[in-house]
Amino acid sequence: MTSTAGAAPPESTVTDTSQVELTIGGMTCASCAARLEKKLNRMDGVAATVNYATEKARVAYGPGVEVADLIATVERTGYTAEQPPPPEPEDRPGSDRQAAQDGELTPLRERLLVSLALSVPVVLMAMVPALQFDNWQWLSLVLAAPVVVWGALPFHRAAWTNARHATATMDTLVSVGTLAAFGWSLWALFLGDAGMPGMRHGFDLTATPADGASTIYLEVAAGVTTFILLGRWLEARSKRRAGAALRALLELGAKDVAVLRADGREERIPAGRLSVGDRFVVRPGEKIATDGTVVEGRSAVDAAMLTGESVPVDVEVGDAVTGATVNAAGRLVVEATRVGADTQLARMAKLVEDAQNGKAEVQRLADRISAVFVPLVLLISAGTLVAWLLTTGEVTAAFTAAVAVLIIACPCALGLATPTALMVGTGRGAQLGILIKGPEVLESTRRVDTVVLDKTGTVTTGRMTLQDVFTADGAAERDLLRLAGSLEHASEHPIAQAVAAGAVERAGSLPVPESFESVAGLGVQGLVDGHLVVVGREKLLAEHSIELPEGLAEMKATAEAEGRTAVIVAWDGVARGVLTVADAVKESSAEAVAELRRLGLTPVLLTGDHGAVAASVARAVGIEEVIAEVLPQDKVAVVRRLRDEGRTVAMVGDGVNDAAALATADLGLAMGTGTDAAIEAGDLTLVRGDLRVAADAIRLSRATLATIKGNLCWAFGYNVAALPLAAAGLLNPMLAGAAMAFSSVFVVTNSLRLRRFS
């Protein structure tokens, strides 16, 4: 997913530099970004990276260079540039950009639908003689003219811009080919014999010099325009989602907050108006509005979405908490220590943005071909015209051969090669629970040799569940579960809820406690069926002068060494058993890891969880390389380190803490059961949340990429083979149109083979 347009900018010799980010308009392909980047980097003291996917340019510039100079250079290159205004604190992040992208996509969709409606009858009348009636050719002209003039207007504009800067892209091929076919048709209709009543458009493929005056190619002009518009719309729809990871990440934070005023009253204000030193209230189930320190209360904070920590963290007065994490239990009063761009959430958003800006779309093969192919075709066409005039003196024959060269070079099959394979491949992928975002993500799949797996929610379920039950001598497991589950059912703590759910599953209905008390950070106690029951940490039992027997102490130590949470149960002054709670490994994970190994990939477990927990999970699924206790920003560093070692890295994750790493990896696979931030940062989305689908996704991506390359090879190969025939006068424009249609049929048929992928 890298290209010259996304490469690291050259080292600047200027030591005192400033940086600016510009929003770029008018780019139509990756080669536009490469050309613009080249122009900017030619300026003295400037180092620039232009990202076609996000339509942004990040520029470092030295003394003597102004932002206005950078914008002027962009505009002289044929594009627009402006500095994006800073968002207001209360604005929805990215909403303006989202509206702008919607504003670009809707007109393109309308252009496609109108062109499709007008082109279908034109193509049918030209290719099916039975549908041709007297003067049908004039109806074709009426229908085709808006498609060529209005439908293809973006291509004509881009081709004109390219021509003014002595370059050529796919747009040049489309514009030249459609205008040539349309221009020839106008000449044949108004000055030749094609406009006469009773004219029929047959499939006579004989190459005779005078045939051109009675032949029209309106179906070529309209059909090519519509097909290329389809491909451009698919590309634009993919680009529309490019910034969604950043928006999803920023919108994860709390929208409003209850601030404590000096008189003790609470005032609800937007979270963006918080200042350092403000104290705010966080009730159970609410998000913490910003980074801060607990000044009142005790609770458990669920930080899994930010840190990957599967076990909620108990906090009390003096402990630091992070914005966007969830208060799972008691009431907290937090004093804000960091707000705005200084918070951990904002810094993570910056990481995602930086990673995306470093991953421009691959410079598409069709554009690289057209950069050389288009000027060559124009030269061949002009040379053909001159050669025929000099050797035969027949203007009609010369023009027929020259136009045949242009039409046979028209890139209908090149335009279909990627979108048809992508549509079939993504359609089949959706049936298998795999979403492929676009053709630019496929290149990395065939080179990937290392797959980094997030633990929580990817290899494991991401939910705390009751694992083992250890009982002391004389205690029954059912009694242990009933009494412990009864008290835990009344608690809001996630570990307590896991115990309660496991108790109901294994022991049936639970009694209602006669009394209940939650001891923050330690556990619960109360009266159940006449027994004084204590459930929680060893410290809570010590407060009741209850000692833990040696056997249960060993069980507790073993469980904790394996990364599980141990909960002690006692009643009537005696410790009766130990319950263990952990994030359970998914049943399919071990099979998925084995399948990834069969694909030649080396699995690596990467997690923010404790080392003991990670090692236990790795043993269960067969992973040898484990990297644990990693913060979100360190996950990005780990992925970069693996890439620096020469590995091509795929990352599989589901949480906000994985979003930046997914964007940094060569290939990002997001679990569809995870957060929007992770899903939008990934290149592939595994809808079912089953890790086994990761192997299917890589196989399907490789197959789709192979099909796209096969299509491009055929489309370009037929042009190369047919151009000499057209130049020699052995391929009249009608035959060129038929050959082009056959090439398109072949490309579509080849793409349809992906429907059989399993």
Side-chain angles (χ1 to χ4, degrees):
M1 292 193 47
T2 56
S3 74
T4 55
E11 292 293 333
S12 176
T13 58
V14 180
T15 56
D16 183 16
T17 61
S18 302
Q19 286 197 355
V20 66
E21 187 174 74
L22 301 176
T23 300
I24 307 297
M27 293 190 295
T28 60
C29 60
S31 58
C32 295
R35 182 166 65 254
L36 181 55
E37 185 176 288
K38 185 177 180 181
K39 289 283 188 181
L40 287 170
N41 284 323
R42 283 178 177 173
M43 298 175 66
D44 292 336
V46 172
T49 299
V50 181
N51 189 307
Y52 168 57
T54 60
E55 297 179 334
K56 290 181 180 179
R58 180 163 294 176
V59 187
Y61 58 96
V65 179
E66 302 292 336
V67 174
D69 299 329
L70 301 173
I71 293 176
T73 298
V74 173
E75 291 176 345
R76 283 196 301 270
T77 311
Y79 308 99
T80 63
E82 62 179 0
Q83 286 183 263
E88 295 295 327
E90 298 176 34
D91 286 351
R92 288 174 62 86
S95 58
D96 291 342
R97 176 163 176 77
Q98 179 72 27
Q101 289 177 334
D102 288 343
E104 294 172 3
L105 190 60
T106 300
L108 182 57
R109 180 174 178 269
E110 292 173 352
R111 197 180 296 269
L112 169 62
L113 292 178
V114 171
S115 297
L116 180 64
L118 295 175
S119 298
V120 168
V122 175
V123 173
L124 288 177
M125 284 189 291
M127 296 302 183
V128 182
L131 298 179
Q132 297 171 6
F133 50 88
D134 288 346
N135 296 315
W136 67 273
Q137 65 271 40
W138 296 104
L139 175 61
S140 293
L141 176 62
V142 171
L143 295 175
V147 178
V148 177
V149 176
W150 175 77
L153 186 60
F155 309 132
H156 302 325
R157 285 174 176 166
W160 173 244
T161 299
N162 293 331
R164 288 192 293 115
H165 294 90
T167 58
T169 66
M170 185 87 160
D171 293 308
T172 308
L173 278 176
V174 176
S175 181
V176 171
T178 54
L179 289 178
F182 188 69
W184 177 267
S185 299
L186 290 178
W187 177 82
L189 284 170
F190 288 98
L191 301 178
D193 302 328
M196 298 178 64
M199 189 276 282
R200 294 295 183 266
H201 201 295
F203 281 97
D204 183 7
L205 301 182
T206 57
T208 56
D211 284 345
S214 60
T215 306
I216 59 174
Y217 308 100
L218 294 172
E219 77 283 0
V220 174
V224 167
T225 299
T226 302
F227 281 130
I228 304 303
L229 280 173
L230 173 62
R232 192 60 56 86
W233 178 72
L234 291 171
E235 180 182 359
R237 190 176 62 170
S238 177
K239 282 177 58 183
R240 177 179 177 269
R241 298 194 296 265
L246 191 58
R247 293 192 299 273
L249 184 57
L250 290 171
E251 292 184 351
L252 182 70
K255 301 300 182 290
D256 53 33
V257 59
V259 178
L260 275 180
R261 296 309 183 189
D263 56 4
R265 66 184 177 86
E266 296 181 16
E267 180 183 353
R268 208 86 190 171
I269 65 171
R273 288 172 50 190
L274 272 176
S275 301
V276 174
D278 283 346
R279 294 190 174 191
F280 56 93
V281 178
V282 189
R283 292 180 171 80
E286 290 185 340
K287 293 178 180 178
I288 297 174
T290 193
D291 298 356
T293 302
V294 178
V295 295
E296 182 183 324
R298 281 183 168 186
S299 183
V301 173
D302 182 0
M305 303 306 265
L306 281 177
T307 66
E309 175 68 60
S310 57
V311 179
V313 179
D314 291 314
V315 296
E316 56 185 18
V317 175
D319 289 338
V321 291
T322 305
T325 56
V326 179
N327 179 16
R331 177 181 182 271
L332 293 176
V333 177
V334 178
E335 181 175 315
T337 57
R338 289 195 296 250
V339 297
D342 295 328
T343 64
Q344 182 175 339
L345 179 64
R347 292 199 302 269
M348 290 176 63
K350 187 68 164 56
L351 282 173
V352 174
E353 185 175 26
D354 289 345
Q356 287 189 338
N357 281 340
K359 282 176 65 174
E361 291 180 359
V362 65
Q363 187 173 354
R364 290 162 61 176
L365 182 58
D367 284 311
R368 293 200 298 269
I369 291 173
S370 64
V372 178
F373 187 55
V374 174
L376 181 62
V377 168
L378 294 175
L379 287 174
I380 293 174
S381 180
T384 299
L385 179 65
V386 172
W388 274 87
L389 289 174
L390 291 177
T391 57
T392 67
E394 297 183 23
V395 177
T396 300
F399 195 57
T400 299
V403 171
V405 168
L406 288 175
I407 292 178
I408 200 66
C410 199
C412 186
L414 276 174
L416 286 171
T418 295
T420 53
L422 188 63
M423 281 190 294
V424 178
T426 52
R428 180 56 181 153
Q431 295 174 334
L432 300 174
I434 304 162
L435 298 181
I436 304 172
K437 284 193 174 179
E440 65 279 356
V441 309
L442 303 176
E443 280 286 351
S444 298
T445 59
R446 62 185 177 86
R447 300 191 303 267
V448 167
D449 53 38
T450 301
V451 56
V452 177
L453 305 174
D454 169 59
K455 180 186 75 67
T456 306
T458 301
V459 177
T460 65
T461 62
R463 300 186 306 274
M464 302 300 292
T465 56
L466 179 63
Q467 301 288 301
D468 299 315
V469 180
F470 303 106
T471 58
D473 293 339
E477 180 177 315
R478 186 172 185 275
D479 293 338
L480 189 77
L481 290 171
R482 288 182 71 254
L483 296 178
S486 174
L487 280 185
E488 296 283 49
H489 190 270
S491 172
E492 297 175 332
H493 198 288
I495 292 179
Q497 291 298 304
V499 170
V504 170
E505 183 180 343
R506 302 185 191 189
S509 60
L510 305 176
V512 178
E514 297 152 38
S515 66
F516 169 83
E517 179 186 358
S518 176
V519 184
L522 296 179
V524 295
Q525 57 191 21
L527 195 64
V528 182
D529 285 350
H531 299 286
L532 180 58
V533 182
V534 179
V535 183
R537 296 184 176 183
E538 192 170 357
K539 184 178 179 181
L540 181 59
L541 272 68
E543 292 182 0
H544 290 267
S545 301
I546 301 175
E547 294 184 359
L548 192 63
E550 183 177 347
L552 290 182
E554 291 178 359
M555 296 295 184
K556 173 179 174 292
T558 300
E560 291 176 341
E562 294 176 351
R564 288 174 286 170
T565 299
V567 179
I568 306 169
V569 183
W571 65 82
D572 297 338
V574 179
R576 310 285 182 166
V578 173
L579 307 176
T580 66
V581 176
D583 182 9
V585 175
K586 293 180 180 178
E587 294 181 0
S588 61
S589 291
E591 181 183 344
V593 170
E595 183 63 27
L596 290 170
R597 287 188 184 279
R598 282 193 287 271
L599 284 173
L601 306 178
T602 301
V604 177
L605 188 67
L606 178 64
T607 178
D609 221 332
H610 296 297
V613 178
S616 176
V617 171
R619 285 194 300 271
V621 299
I623 296 177
E624 298 174 1
E625 189 172 350
V626 180
I627 306 173
E629 300 181 31
V630 179
L631 296 175
Q633 54 267 35
D634 295 330
K635 286 191 173 185
V636 174
V638 168
V639 172
R640 286 176 177 160
R641 175 172 60 80
L642 292 172
R643 295 181 68 188
D644 290 342
E645 293 173 0
R647 303 198 206 183
T648 302
V649 179
M651 171 75 189
V652 187
D654 76 321
V656 171
N657 62 304
D658 303 316
L662 285 167
T664 303
D666 296 285
L667 182 70
L669 294 90
M671 305 296 283
T673 52
T675 65
D676 289 342
I679 292 171
E680 297 298 345
D683 302 314
L684 301 170
T685 300
L686 314 181
V687 177
R688 298 205 307 264
D690 187 337
L691 188 57
R692 289 175 297 187
V693 184
D696 293 335
I698 291 175
R699 278 199 302 266
L700 176 60
S701 297
R702 289 175 176 176
T704 305
L705 177 64
T707 301
I708 289 173
K709 289 192 171 183
N711 287 347
L712 289 172
C713 182
W714 165 263
F716 182 61
Y718 114 91
N719 282 104
V720 172
L723 277 173
L725 298 177
L730 301 176
L731 190 66
N732 66 19
M734 185 59 209
L735 184 60
M740 187 185 66
F742 174 76
S743 177
S744 301
V745 171
F746 177 87
V747 164
V748 173
T749 304
N750 188 47
S751 299
L752 290 175
R753 294 187 303 112
L754 288 169
R755 297 172 62 181
R756 298 194 295 270
F757 176 87
S758 62

